């Protein structure tokens, strides 16, 4: 960031803010686990990708995951190796929020016995099972609700595997607190939130300002954020889809102007 500010913008900051920090272990609420069938070795590799490499490093445990996901991560490789079509397995995503969830990406239909193995595994670990085939991530139980809380603001945000979310909930809370403190918006102000995602900053802002306009590049995230505002009874925030790499001056929601902008790309 310092290099970008200096070289591209010709700007030298007067002061650097202290970094936001949290617990060193058991902080990560989301993880993507790499899965690949090695046809030559006749084995299924499960683990994390090595830095700057396609190599998959097998691990016995992952102490940076939140405690609820650690036993799932430990037992996952053995369960996946019991499935009958290892060639059809893509990545696995783990998430812990209002519930724990396991998402499996697969490139071919799953056999009934494989689905039974997956269901039993998730039942054992008190986790929702999500499958990602041709139609995107879907819960096996259609009634399953998944999300995360912003506890200091009494907000609940719906989330689906594949959505962007800050992986460290503790630091995310500190980020929101710091953003609200720095911005210090007044109750009569109109505020712009760029790269708004699911409403992580927009919804706490809407609790204390006249109006929030929140913009995001991914249409499905805009839809989910709009639903999050309604479910939290916040009606002074509007979400829009736009390519934020392009100028925004022609957008109709810009005309009235803003007293403050929050930018978290």
């Amino acid at each position: 960031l310092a290099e970008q500010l200096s070289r591209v913008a010709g700007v030298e900051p007067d002061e650097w803010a202290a970094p936001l920090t949290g617990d060193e272990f058991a902080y990560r609420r989301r993880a993507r686990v790499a899965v690949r069938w090695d046809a030559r070795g006749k084995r299924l590799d499960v683990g994390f990708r090595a830095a700057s490499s396609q190599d998959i490093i097998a691990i016995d445990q992952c102490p940076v995951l939140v405690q609820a996901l650690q036993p799932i991560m430990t037992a996952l490789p053995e369960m996946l190796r019991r499935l009958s079509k290892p060639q059809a397995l893509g990545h696995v995503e783990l998430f812990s929020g209002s519930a724990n969830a396991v998402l499996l990406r697969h490139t071919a239909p799953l056999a009934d016995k494989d689905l039974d193995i997956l269901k039993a595994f998730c039942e054992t670990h008190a986790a929702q099972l999500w499958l990602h085939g041709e139609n995107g991530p879907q819960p096996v139980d259609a009634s399953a609700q998944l999300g995360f809380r912003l506890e200091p603001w009494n907000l609940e945000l719906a989330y689906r595997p594949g959505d962007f979310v800050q992986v460290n909930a503790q630091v995310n809370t500190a980020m929101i607190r710091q953003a609200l403190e720095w911005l210090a918006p007044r109750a009569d102000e109109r505020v712009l939130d760029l790269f708004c995602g699911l409403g992580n900053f927009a919804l706490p802002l809407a609790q204390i300002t006249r109006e929030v306009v929140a913009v995001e590049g991914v249409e499905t995230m805009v839809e989910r954020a709009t639903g999050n505002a309604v479910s939290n009874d916040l009606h002074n925030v509007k979400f829009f889809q736009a390519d934020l790499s392009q100028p925004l001056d022609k957008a109709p929601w810009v005309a009235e102007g803003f007293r403050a902008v929050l930018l978290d790309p």
Side-chain angles (χ1 to χ4, degrees):
L1 176 59
E3 191 269 341
Q4 291 285 316
L5 288 171
S6 176
R7 181 175 61 83
V8 179
V11 171
E12 296 294 336
D14 292 331
E15 180 184 352
W16 285 101
L20 298 174
T21 59
D23 295 335
E24 188 176 357
F25 296 105
Y27 67 83
R28 191 178 181 94
R29 58 180 168 181
R30 178 187 178 188
R32 175 174 287 199
V33 183
V35 179
R36 183 176 59 209
W37 173 249
D38 183 341
R40 182 176 296 178
K42 295 288 191 293
R43 69 173 187 272
L44 188 68
D45 293 328
V46 182
F48 292 121
R49 293 197 183 277
S52 304
S53 170
Q54 291 298 307
D55 294 343
I56 295 176
I57 308 302
I59 58 170
D60 297 319
Q61 56 182 334
C62 184
V64 299
L65 287 178
V66 294
Q67 192 60 51
L69 294 180
Q70 291 191 30
I72 297 177
M73 181 66 224
T74 299
L76 185 69
E78 186 276 331
M79 182 274 292
L80 291 175
R81 291 182 179 118
R82 291 166 52 205
L83 301 182
S84 63
K85 290 185 179 179
Q87 303 91 332
L89 304 181
H91 66 263
V92 172
E93 185 173 313
L94 308 179
F95 178 75
S96 181
S98 56
N100 296 324
V102 176
L103 170 108
L104 173 64
R105 178 81 169 92
H106 57 96
T107 57
L110 295 170
D112 288 343
K113 65 178 183 179
D114 289 347
L115 191 55
D116 289 341
I117 291 172
L118 289 162
K119 287 178 178 177
F121 178 82
C122 288
E123 185 174 344
T124 297
H125 292 281
Q128 297 176 4
L129 174 60
W130 290 63
L131 298 176
H132 186 172
E134 293 181 353
N135 299 319
Q138 300 292 334
V140 170
D141 177 358
S143 66
Q145 299 292 315
L146 189 60
F148 60 93
R149 284 190 60 76
L150 300 178
E151 203 62 56
W153 300 275
N154 193 30
L155 294 166
E156 178 97 21
L157 277 67
Y159 166 90
R160 292 172 76 88
D163 288 348
F164 175 80
V165 65
Q166 294 288 349
V167 299
N168 189 323
Q170 187 181 21
V171 168
N172 186 58
T173 296
M175 285 173 57
I176 298 171
R177 287 191 193 279
Q178 185 180 75
L180 297 181
E181 179 185 332
W182 283 359
L183 210 56
R186 297 199 306 264
D188 63 343
E189 290 183 335
R190 188 175 194 242
V191 178
L192 176 63
D193 176 17
L194 298 176
F195 300 92
C196 66
L198 296 170
N200 189 59
F201 292 99
L203 299 188
L205 277 168
Q207 293 179 327
I208 56 174
T209 58
R210 172 173 65 87
E211 183 182 4
V212 177
V213 172
V215 189
E216 165 62 40
V218 181
E219 183 63 42
T220 54
M221 299 271 277
V222 172
E223 294 169 3
R224 219 132 29 243
T226 300
N228 284 335
V230 172
S231 65
N232 285 284
D233 199 27
L234 291 168
H235 306 287
N236 61 331
V237 53
K238 295 183 176 65
F239 293 90
F240 298 95
Q241 189 275 332
D243 180 353
L244 292 173
S245 69
Q246 300 300 313
L248 302 173
D249 54 312
K250 300 295 191 295
W253 36 263
V254 169
E256 187 184 331
F258 306 93
R259 288 300 304 262
V261 179
L262 191 150
L263 173 66
D264 177 24

